[in-house]
Amino acid sequence: VQLQASGGGLVQPGGTLTLSCAFSGATLDAYSIGWFRQAPGKEREGVSIISRPDGRTKYADSVKGRFTISRDNAKSTVYLQMNDLKPEDTAVYYCAARYGRLVYSAQLSAAHYDYWGQGTLVTVSS
């Protein structure tokens, strides 16, 4: 399994970015996919997950109502649309995969994911 995150960049506060996570080496719909981020000097934190098989989603409180995760199984791609971006959203964003489902309490825990892509940097600044 391989994942490749893309779509990061520099955006002004209040702006929008959409990250993409290209998945290969297996069937996407057999995996739960999470987005994580790591800001300088901080621990990696879970941002969102889209679960298999039903596509249920979960968001960190800090992004709820602003970020939307989605998946396109035909394109083997998972997206993270980020609206109303804030300076505190600045981080390197990673996508990760876990075969099957995760229990609710573990869904935003990096330790429970088996495969990771390289990160893409998001900078929110005026």
Side-chain angles (χ1 to χ4, degrees), residues 81-107:
Q81 181 175 341
M82 307 184 294
N83 298 329
D84 189 24
L85 282 160
K86 306 175 185 299
E88 52 264 39
D89 295 318
T90 295
V92 177
Y93 284 71
Y94 301 87
C95 56
R98 162 66 182 250
Y99 182 79
R101 298 185 65 178
L102 282 162
V103 297
Y104 187 81
S105 60
Q107 288 178 346

Tab-separated table of all heavy atoms in Angstrom, residues 81-107:
chain	number	residue	atom	x	y	z
A	81	GLN	N	-11.206	18.751	2.158
A	81	GLN	CA	-11.486	20.140	1.820
A	81	GLN	C	-11.421	20.963	3.092
A	81	GLN	O	-12.103	20.650	4.072
A	81	GLN	CB	-12.864	20.290	1.167
A	81	GLN	CG	-13.181	21.728	0.782
A	81	GLN	CD	-14.483	21.874	0.040
A	81	GLN	OE1	-15.013	20.909	-0.506
A	81	GLN	NE2	-15.016	23.081	0.010
A	82	MET	N	-10.629	22.006	3.048
A	82	MET	CA	-10.394	22.835	4.233
A	82	MET	C	-10.863	24.259	3.946
A	82	MET	O	-10.292	24.930	3.068
A	82	MET	CB	-8.906	22.821	4.601
A	82	MET	CG	-8.344	21.415	4.755
A	82	MET	SD	-6.633	21.392	5.307
A	82	MET	CE	-5.819	22.132	3.887
A	83	ASN	N	-11.908	24.657	4.644
A	83	ASN	CA	-12.464	25.998	4.487
A	83	ASN	C	-12.138	26.852	5.699
A	83	ASN	O	-11.827	26.333	6.774
A	83	ASN	CB	-13.984	25.921	4.315
A	83	ASN	CG	-14.402	25.158	3.080
A	83	ASN	OD1	-13.710	25.144	2.067
A	83	ASN	ND2	-15.550	24.500	3.155
A	84	ASP	N	-12.252	28.161	5.518
A	84	ASP	CA	-12.061	29.108	6.629
A	84	ASP	C	-10.774	28.794	7.392
A	84	ASP	O	-10.775	28.659	8.621
A	84	ASP	CB	-13.270	29.067	7.578
A	84	ASP	CG	-13.243	30.165	8.614
A	84	ASP	OD1	-12.592	31.206	8.375
A	84	ASP	OD2	-13.861	29.988	9.688
A	85	LEU	N	-9.712	28.682	6.658
A	85	LEU	CA	-8.441	28.297	7.274
A	85	LEU	C	-7.934	29.374	8.228
A	85	LEU	O	-8.120	30.584	7.997
A	85	LEU	CB	-7.408	27.998	6.191
A	85	LEU	CG	-7.594	26.623	5.532
A	85	LEU	CD1	-6.894	26.564	4.190
A	85	LEU	CD2	-7.084	25.537	6.461
A	86	LYS	N	-7.297	28.912	9.288
A	86	LYS	CA	-6.773	29.783	10.322
A	86	LYS	C	-5.264	29.578	10.445
A	86	LYS	O	-4.746	28.508	10.091
A	86	LYS	CB	-7.439	29.456	11.665
A	86	LYS	CG	-8.964	29.484	11.630
A	86	LYS	CD	-9.546	29.046	12.942
A	86	LYS	CE	-11.058	28.954	12.887
A	86	LYS	NZ	-11.702	30.247	12.585
A	87	PRO	N	-4.552	30.562	10.959
A	87	PRO	CA	-3.098	30.383	11.121
A	87	PRO	C	-2.744	29.136	11.922
A	87	PRO	O	-1.718	28.497	11.635
A	87	PRO	CB	-2.686	31.656	11.851
A	87	PRO	CG	-3.668	32.681	11.395
A	87	PRO	CD	-4.966	31.938	11.279
A	88	GLU	N	-3.584	28.769	12.874
A	88	GLU	CA	-3.293	27.579	13.684
A	88	GLU	C	-3.485	26.270	12.911
A	88	GLU	O	-3.178	25.195	13.435
A	88	GLU	CB	-4.140	27.570	14.958
A	88	GLU	CG	-5.628	27.749	14.741
A	88	GLU	CD	-6.077	29.200	14.907
A	88	GLU	OE1	-5.341	30.124	14.471
A	88	GLU	OE2	-7.162	29.401	15.479
A	89	ASP	N	-3.983	26.348	11.686
A	89	ASP	CA	-4.065	25.158	10.830
A	89	ASP	C	-2.745	24.895	10.111
A	89	ASP	O	-2.608	23.863	9.437
A	89	ASP	CB	-5.172	25.317	9.791
A	89	ASP	CG	-6.559	25.386	10.409
A	89	ASP	OD1	-6.832	24.606	11.346
A	89	ASP	OD2	-7.371	26.217	9.951
A	90	THR	N	-1.790	25.796	10.242
A	90	THR	CA	-0.494	25.611	9.604
A	90	THR	C	0.195	24.367	10.152
A	90	THR	O	0.356	24.206	11.354
A	90	THR	CB	0.394	26.841	9.848
A	90	THR	OG1	-0.187	27.972	9.186
A	90	THR	CG2	1.800	26.607	9.320
A	91	ALA	N	0.564	23.466	9.240
A	91	ALA	CA	1.171	22.193	9.634
A	91	ALA	C	1.532	21.416	8.379
A	91	ALA	O	1.109	21.763	7.270
A	91	ALA	CB	0.207	21.373	10.493
A	92	VAL	N	2.275	20.345	8.585
A	92	VAL	CA	2.439	19.338	7.547
A	92	VAL	C	1.288	18.341	7.712
A	92	VAL	O	1.069	17.829	8.812
A	92	VAL	CB	3.793	18.623	7.658
A	92	VAL	CG1	3.895	17.529	6.602
A	92	VAL	CG2	4.935	19.622	7.505
A	93	TYR	N	0.575	18.109	6.640
A	93	TYR	CA	-0.583	17.213	6.655
A	93	TYR	C	-0.210	15.871	6.021
A	93	TYR	O	0.410	15.825	4.950
A	93	TYR	CB	-1.750	17.842	5.904
A	93	TYR	CG	-2.442	18.925	6.696
A	93	TYR	CD1	-1.829	20.147	6.917
A	93	TYR	CD2	-3.707	18.719	7.243
A	93	TYR	CE1	-2.438	21.141	7.677
A	93	TYR	CE2	-4.338	19.705	7.990
A	93	TYR	CZ	-3.693	20.908	8.205
A	93	TYR	OH	-4.312	21.888	8.951
A	94	TYR	N	-0.615	14.806	6.688
A	94	TYR	CA	-0.333	13.445	6.244
A	94	TYR	C	-1.639	12.670	6.086
A	94	TYR	O	-2.575	12.854	6.880
A	94	TYR	CB	0.512	12.705	7.268
A	94	TYR	CG	1.843	13.331	7.598
A	94	TYR	CD1	1.950	14.303	8.591
A	94	TYR	CD2	3.000	12.941	6.926
A	94	TYR	CE1	3.169	14.880	8.897
A	94	TYR	CE2	4.228	13.510	7.233
A	94	TYR	CZ	4.302	14.470	8.218
A	94	TYR	OH	5.521	15.028	8.531
A	95	CYS	N	-1.678	11.778	5.107
A	95	CYS	CA	-2.766	10.815	5.066
A	95	CYS	C	-2.215	9.439	5.450
A	95	CYS	O	-1.031	9.157	5.251
A	95	CYS	CB	-3.452	10.777	3.708
A	95	CYS	SG	-2.400	10.449	2.277
A	96	ALA	N	-3.090	8.635	6.026
A	96	ALA	CA	-2.689	7.333	6.533
A	96	ALA	C	-3.819	6.336	6.322
A	96	ALA	O	-4.987	6.727	6.231
A	96	ALA	CB	-2.335	7.420	8.009
A	97	ALA	N	-3.467	5.046	6.262
A	97	ALA	CA	-4.453	4.010	5.984
A	97	ALA	C	-4.379	2.894	7.019
A	97	ALA	O	-3.302	2.556	7.530
A	97	ALA	CB	-4.227	3.430	4.588
A	98	ARG	N	-5.566	2.341	7.283
A	98	ARG	CA	-5.664	1.195	8.190
A	98	ARG	C	-6.652	0.223	7.555
A	98	ARG	O	-7.772	0.602	7.192
A	98	ARG	CB	-6.153	1.658	9.553
A	98	ARG	CG	-6.702	0.576	10.461
A	98	ARG	CD	-5.662	-0.429	10.918
A	98	ARG	NE	-6.264	-1.464	11.737
A	98	ARG	CZ	-6.051	-1.583	13.040
A	98	ARG	NH1	-5.261	-0.723	13.670
A	98	ARG	NH2	-6.621	-2.550	13.704
A	99	TYR	N	-6.245	-1.044	7.420
A	99	TYR	CA	-7.132	-2.044	6.828
A	99	TYR	C	-8.339	-2.251	7.730
A	99	TYR	O	-8.200	-2.427	8.946
A	99	TYR	CB	-6.389	-3.363	6.636
A	99	TYR	CG	-7.235	-4.417	5.992
A	99	TYR	CD1	-7.449	-4.411	4.617
A	99	TYR	CD2	-7.852	-5.398	6.754
A	99	TYR	CE1	-8.244	-5.371	4.011
A	99	TYR	CE2	-8.650	-6.359	6.164
A	99	TYR	CZ	-8.837	-6.350	4.804
A	99	TYR	OH	-9.624	-7.288	4.202
A	100	GLY	N	-9.499	-2.208	7.144
A	100	GLY	CA	-10.720	-2.447	7.897
A	100	GLY	C	-11.167	-1.234	8.681
A	100	GLY	O	-10.873	-0.087	8.330
A	101	ARG	N	-11.862	-1.490	9.768
A	101	ARG	CA	-12.416	-0.425	10.603
A	101	ARG	C	-11.610	-0.256	11.873
A	101	ARG	O	-10.873	-1.132	12.297
A	101	ARG	CB	-13.865	-0.746	10.970
A	101	ARG	CG	-14.802	-0.846	9.795
A	101	ARG	CD	-16.221	-1.038	10.259
A	101	ARG	NE	-16.699	0.136	11.000
A	101	ARG	CZ	-17.919	0.245	11.482
A	101	ARG	NH1	-18.778	-0.744	11.350
A	101	ARG	NH2	-18.296	1.321	12.130
A	102	LEU	N	-11.775	0.894	12.463
A	102	LEU	CA	-11.203	1.199	13.769
A	102	LEU	C	-12.333	1.490	14.742
A	102	LEU	O	-13.348	2.068	14.356
A	102	LEU	CB	-10.296	2.421	13.695
A	102	LEU	CG	-8.905	2.211	13.103
A	102	LEU	CD1	-8.300	3.534	12.682
A	102	LEU	CD2	-8.016	1.523	14.110
A	103	VAL	N	-12.128	1.092	15.981
A	103	VAL	CA	-13.121	1.473	16.972
A	103	VAL	C	-13.126	2.986	17.107
A	103	VAL	O	-12.115	3.658	16.848
A	103	VAL	CB	-12.845	0.810	18.348
A	103	VAL	CG1	-12.940	-0.691	18.220
A	103	VAL	CG2	-11.486	1.222	18.890
A	104	TYR	N	-14.258	3.533	17.502
A	104	TYR	CA	-14.452	4.975	17.503
A	104	TYR	C	-13.355	5.701	18.270
A	104	TYR	O	-12.819	6.712	17.817
A	104	TYR	CB	-15.829	5.301	18.095
A	104	TYR	CG	-16.200	6.747	17.996
A	104	TYR	CD1	-16.718	7.262	16.813
A	104	TYR	CD2	-16.045	7.616	19.087
A	104	TYR	CE1	-17.070	8.592	16.713
A	104	TYR	CE2	-16.385	8.933	18.987
A	104	TYR	CZ	-16.904	9.428	17.807
A	104	TYR	OH	-17.243	10.755	17.703
A	105	SER	N	-12.976	5.177	19.403
A	105	SER	CA	-12.002	5.860	20.258
A	105	SER	C	-10.609	5.906	19.662
A	105	SER	O	-9.774	6.717	20.069
A	105	SER	CB	-11.952	5.185	21.631
A	105	SER	OG	-11.573	3.835	21.497
A	106	ALA	N	-10.323	5.039	18.693
A	106	ALA	CA	-8.986	4.963	18.105
A	106	ALA	C	-8.883	5.642	16.747
A	106	ALA	O	-7.804	5.700	16.163
A	106	ALA	CB	-8.575	3.503	17.973
A	107	GLN	N	-9.992	6.161	16.254
A	107	GLN	CA	-10.025	6.598	14.867
A	107	GLN	C	-9.099	7.766	14.559
A	107	GLN	O	-8.653	7.908	13.434
A	107	GLN	CB	-11.465	6.939	14.469
A	107	GLN	CG	-12.327	5.706	14.320
A	107	GLN	CD	-13.764	6.029	13.974
A	107	GLN	OE1	-14.205	7.166	14.082
A	107	GLN	NE2	-14.505	5.028	13.558
